[in-house]
Amino acid sequence: MTDSADTPAEAGAEGEGGRKRHWLRWTALGAAVVVLAAAGGGWWLYRKLDGNITTDTTAAAELLKYEKERPSPAVNAARNILLIGSDTRAGAGNRQYGRDKGTQRSDTTILLHISARGAGATAVSIPRDLMVNIPSCTKPDKTLSRAAFAQFNLAFESGGTACTIRTLEKLTGIRIDHHMVIDFQGFKKMVDAVDGVELCLKEPIDDPAAHLKLPAGRQTLHGEQALGFVRARKTLGNGSDTERMDRQQQFLGALVNKVQSDGVLLNPTRLYPVLDAATKSVTTDAGLDSLRDLYDLARSLRAVPTEKVQFLTVPRRPYAYNPNRDELVQPAADQLFARLRADRPVTVRPGGSGKPEAEGPNASVAPSFPGRNAAEGVC
């Protein structure tokens, strides 16, 4: 009669195999838990960032009323995004910069043109004091403002983003596809999220109105200092808004360089604070109000080499009837607008100063404009 009991060796082998299978089951279960936790955490973070974004539905509804008078969409799948820096004093973080009068103006307005297939990005500053034709717009109290020939930033005060977009579209013939609005606090948080931006100051700065005091030389500006730098005007240079726009372009170029060269976009632990600050800081149209939309925008900008990220101010000069206001320089301004409409390259001369060189009579020579690109060195 054969003994059915296992031999000690067999029993030991089975026990070892059982323990191994048991260990594998627990390892697989542990791995599954980790994966699920990571996925859940990732989904939670995604929902949190996505929920941070404020959507501006009012502008879309207002613009829809005037769809027939708006320009045609950009060619070649290029995109035009209006970036607006609001000078609102509403909210605890903004009250330190002045009394809240219940109104806000566009302290900074930049038309960002992103060429098709990552060929380039051109940021055009629009002077807040530029004299323009502002259409009749719906005011916050639902009444209509009167059409007026006035300084550009009055459009934002009169009718918000929609009025600013309509004013700019009538001025340039360029259709605005998307818009973003950011206030003082949002700007500071963005700068702090990338751990400051490095600039080179040719002269020391002491501007009490902008809460800014800095020595000359290489400096890393953080939130409050960065805001003071882009806002300062009265004690720097000739005190003009034009020089302030030059400084804003210098800062934005340095910011682009910092983000692209410092690995921020490729490092999740560094990218999250930037995304958290960005999504909390902006109010956008419905086409940019999700994390996926903003990521797609960031990815398209990341594909553009820094030497092809350009900053310039629309050709302007002091207004003939009031030197404290601006007017367009023609035909240079129309030539710039035409090139952006057609998604043609814009040539920018380094230095950020000087006069635009207009296109030749036979149109064989492309115009060039004073400005800078993000590849310029800090010092």
Side-chain angles (χ1 to χ4, degrees):
M1 186 173 180
T2 305
D3 189 355
S4 61
D6 294 332
T7 66
E10 290 172 334
E14 183 176 342
E16 183 179 348
R19 285 192 298 272
K20 186 174 182 181
R21 288 192 297 272
H22 183 72
W23 178 83
L24 287 174
R25 283 196 298 269
W26 276 105
T27 300
L29 179 60
V33 170
V34 170
V35 169
L36 288 173
W43 176 244
W44 180 83
L45 291 176
Y46 181 90
R47 290 294 300 271
K48 178 181 183 297
L49 294 172
D50 209 49
N52 286 344
I53 305 168
T54 301
T55 307
D56 179 4
T57 56
T58 304
E62 183 69 11
L63 290 171
L64 189 61
K65 300 177 185 177
Y66 302 95
E67 179 60 36
K68 291 183 179 179
E69 68 181 41
R70 299 186 66 194
S72 302
V75 301
N76 301 330
R79 286 185 288 177
N80 296 301
I81 302 172
L82 194 62
L83 309 176
I84 300 175
S86 167
D87 70 352
T88 179
R89 269 63 172 179
N94 296 315
R95 292 191 189 117
Q96 61 182 300
Y97 305 108
R99 186 166 57 88
D100 180 17
K101 300 177 182 178
T103 60
Q104 56 180 334
R105 293 194 181 188
S106 48
D107 200 51
T108 300
T109 305
I110 296 175
L111 171 60
L112 175 62
H113 175 82
I114 304 175
S115 295
R117 298 176 295 278
T122 303
V124 182
S125 296
I126 311 297
R128 66 177 191 174
D129 295 329
L130 184 68
M131 298 301 293
V132 296
N133 288 303
I134 300 175
S136 173
C137 297
T138 303
K139 297 190 292 185
D141 63 3
K142 305 305 180 183
T143 62
L144 289 178
S145 66
R146 290 186 178 182
F149 182 67
Q151 61 193 79
F152 176 72
N153 68 345
L154 183 63
F156 194 68
E157 181 181 12
S158 299
T161 305
C163 193
T164 300
I165 290 174
R166 290 178 58 213
T167 300
L168 191 61
E169 287 184 341
K170 288 179 179 294
L171 180 72
T172 65
I174 298 170
R175 185 183 180 97
I176 304 301
D177 302 301
H178 302 290
H179 68 268
M180 293 184 183
V181 180
I182 185 168
D183 63 15
F184 293 155
Q185 277 297 104
F187 177 83
K188 292 194 301 183
K189 289 178 181 177
M190 287 282 292
V191 175
D192 284 337
V194 298
D195 198 25
V197 174
E198 190 176 51
L199 290 176
C200 194
L201 307 180
K202 295 180 180 179
E203 299 177 352
I205 298 175
D206 187 0
D207 191 317
H211 307 281
L212 186 65
K213 187 173 183 178
L214 294 168
R218 191 181 291 264
Q219 306 286 336
T220 297
L221 306 188
H222 294 276
E224 192 68 49
Q225 294 173 321
L227 179 63
F229 181 77
V230 299
R231 291 186 67 226
R233 180 177 64 165
K234 296 180 181 178
T235 63
L236 298 182
N238 60 10
S240 71
D241 196 48
T242 299
E243 286 200 1
R244 181 169 69 164
M245 285 185 292
D246 289 342
R247 288 190 293 275
Q248 291 170 351
Q249 292 163 13
Q250 177 190 1
F251 184 88
L252 290 174
L255 176 60
V256 170
N257 238 334
K258 174 70 178 284
V259 171
Q260 290 207 354
S261 65
D262 214 29
V264 173
L265 295 177
L266 301 177
N267 186 334
T269 60
R270 299 193 65 190
L271 181 59
Y272 175 78
V274 176
L275 289 176
D276 191 42
T279 52
K280 286 179 179 176
S281 302
V282 298
T283 298
T284 76
D285 63 281
L288 285 180
D289 69 345
S290 73
L291 194 59
R292 179 184 295 275
D293 294 327
L294 291 179
Y295 174 77
D296 288 343
L297 174 61
R299 186 175 58 179
S300 65
L301 288 172
R302 189 176 65 186
V304 180
T306 52
E307 64 270 15
K308 291 187 177 180
V309 179
Q310 304 180 120
F311 300 89
L312 68 152
T313 299
V314 64
R316 45 71 58 200
R317 64 187 173 207
Y319 180 46
Y321 300 102
N322 184 346
N324 294 318
R325 301 289 179 261
D326 291 326
E327 64 183 5
L328 295 179
V329 173
Q330 298 293 5
D334 282 345
Q335 289 170 356
L336 171 62
F337 301 151
R339 297 190 80 81
L340 294 176
R341 285 196 301 270
D343 195 29
R344 297 175 64 191
V346 174
T347 302
V348 171
R349 300 192 309 277
S353 61
K355 296 181 179 179
E357 295 178 356
E359 196 169 24
N362 57 5
S364 61
V365 179
S368 65
F369 306 89
R372 67 180 73 247
N373 66 56
E376 289 187 29
V378 174
C379 293

